[in-house]
Every structure is written in structure tokens, then in C-alpha cells.
Amino acid sequence: MPDVTRFAPSPTGYLHLGHVFSACYAHHRAGSGGRFLLRIEDIDQARCQDRYANALIDDLAWLGLSWEHPVRYQSQHLGAYRLALEQFYDQGLIYPCFCTRSDIMREVGDIHRAPHGPYGLLYPGTCRSLSRHESEQRRESGVPYALRLDMQAALRRTGPLSWRDGRQGLVRVPTDGLGDVVLARKDTPTSYHLAVTLDDALQGVTLVTRGEDLFQATHVHRILQALLELPVPQYHHHPLLLDPQGRRYAKRNRSVTIRSLRAAGATPQDILAMVDGKG
């Protein structure tokens, strides 16, 4: 069957060459008979801006890419993420964490000896043992908190899991080392992990293409899929597009944004040639 792919940038800056490579790759994998979707991942209201969202849509259209409408904006679907969190909470799979970064550092002691996972220092589980009554009291008093997934409880519920990557084949989800990831915060009603997992399922995405820097995140997404009984897409984690110095492109490097290249007189063909066959 033809694939349904997507490109899902966060509007925290202008589109750069790395974005274009990823978008073109997903567009190509959809093929002539598939479907290519554009999703705006704008859940971080402190950093996301409408001007960046409008600019990236304009840049993609200028490059000649086309996608199905309407474009999905995550900020318009917060209720869906909230329902998933309520389901996890009712099942005893998430808990409020009131620890600051300083609290965590004090708890682990020697940071060099503390266990680390794919996202850095593993949370030591300080708030996991708080009673529901104590947690509710702290939340009601206005203490900032994050909602963390009890990873070991989740894995006991799901059992062994795996997923398939286009480059590495069958990949098994590890049973340790992932840590209790954050699924939401007091002022941010969802996280990247939860939102992207739900959105891919709700939009019928069958092939997730993204950079290899997100390979480890797919373990978490596979666990969430199992807990929420969602379909499991295929994955392909492509190499990152690097600049001539071997560094990954970033939004802070303004010289390689599509805005700046357009202003300098580059054509769509010029930019597409810069990413063609790369990675």
C-alpha cells in the first residue's frame, strides 16, 4: 500500500537546510500514490511563534512541496493529549514530579557515576513514592510539576516490544535505561513524546521518517502506542544533513535558513540541489 508520511517541524525559528532535507525525504517516500502531511508542532507556547509557522509553510510551498489540507496544529488539539494523560493517571502509570533540576542533582550525588539514558541523566524516581493525597496537595498549592511516565510499571503492562526501522531492521525496546520520561508539565499540557505518538496515529501515518538523532525516542513512542492500543507505523531514521564543517544544521545558524538563501537570490532548484543525495 502507498505510504502516508509527514513532516512535523516546530515553529521556533526559520526553516534551514536540514529541515528541507528531512521534508524532501518524507515527501519522496510518500511517492506519487501516497500521502504527504504537514504538521506544526507548536505545543511550546513560550518558544513557538506564528511568524515562524507562516514562514516555514511559505518556504515549503516556494520549494514546490505540496501536502494535504488542513495542516494540523498541535496547539488546536490539546484535548486529545489531555484524555491520554487521564487514561494513564487512572491506570497508575504516571505521577506528578515536583523536583527541580537542583533537587535531582542533590539526589543523584555524583553526576558522573549516576545512571544515564538516551536523554542524559536518568531521573532517580524521587516523587514516584509520594501518595496520591500528598501529590494532590502539592499540585493544589501551586507547586510547579511535571507528569512522568512510570517506565517500569508501563513495561510490566506492555511486555516485550519491538518496532521496525528501514535501516536497522527489527529493533527491540530495551527494558531498562529509558527513565521516567516527562509526558506533560503544569504549564505545557503535553510533551513531544505523547503528542507525536498520538498525532501519527490519529493522522494515519504509516511511515515515520525523521533524523537518526530521534532513534532512541522511538522506544518511548512504541511503549506509548502499546499502552494506548495505537497502530504501529514503520520507521526510517535517516542520517542528518551536515554542513561543510561536519556539524548538523541548526536554527541558530541564520546563514543557512531558507529565508536568507532566498534573500540572497537562491532559486528553489538551487536549494533542492544542496540537499539532493545528501545524508
Side-chain angles (χ1 to χ4, degrees):
M1 295 291 292
D3 283 313
V4 180
T5 66
R6 68 354 179 236
F7 176 56
S10 295
T12 57
Y14 291 116
L15 209 67
H16 57 63
L17 287 174
H19 289 133
V20 173
F21 173 71
S22 188
C24 288
Y25 188 89
H27 191 269
H28 171 74
R29 290 298 301 265
S32 59
R35 298 166 54 207
F36 174 65
L37 310 177
L38 176 62
R39 182 167 71 227
I40 306 299
E41 300 195 338
D42 58 344
I43 55 175
D44 187 345
Q45 295 299 292
R47 299 174 60 225
C48 295
Q49 298 183 31
D50 289 342
R51 66 186 178 108
Y52 292 137
N54 295 334
L56 70 87
I57 290 174
D58 178 67
D59 285 340
L60 291 171
W62 178 78
L63 287 168
L65 274 64
S66 59
W67 52 87
E68 289 191 3
H69 292 275
V71 173
R72 182 179 178 90
Y73 287 76
Q74 287 183 333
S75 61
Q76 298 174 2
H77 300 276
L78 300 181
Y81 315 132
R82 190 176 301 111
L83 287 175
L85 289 169
E86 291 173 359
Q87 179 177 332
F88 290 149
Y89 195 67
D90 291 342
Q91 295 172 345
L93 295 176
I94 60 173
Y95 61 91
C97 171
F98 305 92
C99 295
T100 64
R101 182 172 179 80
S102 297
D103 295 333
I104 296 173
M105 296 295 291
R106 284 194 299 270
E107 184 71 19
V108 301
D110 188 344
I111 188 172
H112 300 292
R113 296 183 179 179
H116 284 65
Y119 311 107
L121 185 68
L122 291 183
Y123 176 65
T126 308
C127 293
R128 193 187 304 130
S129 60
L130 291 177
S131 68
R132 180 166 293 197
H133 175 69
E134 185 173 357
S135 293
E136 291 297 337
Q137 280 190 323
R138 292 192 186 186
R139 292 172 70 174
E140 291 173 2
S141 66
V143 178
Y145 63 88
L147 293 176
R148 291 184 180 271
L149 177 68
D150 187 334
M151 189 61 74
Q152 289 307 308
L155 288 169
R156 286 194 297 270
R157 181 179 290 267
T158 66
L161 296 171
S162 62
W163 50 277
R164 188 165 293 278
D165 179 72
R167 298 173 65 203
Q168 298 198 27
L170 186 67
V171 180
R172 301 192 185 281
V173 174
T175 57
D176 57 15
L178 293 176
D180 291 356
V181 297
V182 172
L183 295 186
R185 297 185 184 277
K186 177 183 178 182
D187 300 319
T188 306
T190 186
S191 69
Y192 164 75
H193 294 305
L194 179 58
V196 72
T197 301
L198 271 175
D199 285 346
D200 284 340
L202 292 172
Q203 292 190 282
V205 174
T206 62
L207 174 63
V208 175
T209 66
R210 56 191 180 197
E212 60 188 0
D213 56 325
L214 291 170
F215 186 92
Q216 297 295 331
T218 306
H219 295 318
V220 177
H221 302 171
R222 181 67 188 92
I223 293 167
L224 296 178
Q225 289 161 358
L227 294 174
L228 295 170
E229 299 182 343
L230 301 176
V232 183
Q234 298 289 305
Y235 290 88
H236 188 99
H237 293 85
H238 58 71
L240 300 178
L241 185 68
L242 304 177
D243 67 15
Q245 288 72 45
R247 301 169 301 190
R248 60 180 293 187
Y249 287 103
K251 293 175 182 176
R252 62 180 175 273
N253 188 349
R254 297 182 181 180
S255 64
V256 294
T257 66
I258 308 309
R259 295 271 111 173
S260 63
L261 293 171
R262 289 176 66 174
T267 67
Q269 292 72 29
D270 294 332
I271 292 175
L272 293 175
M274 293 178 186
V275 303
D276 183 41
K278 300 295 184 181

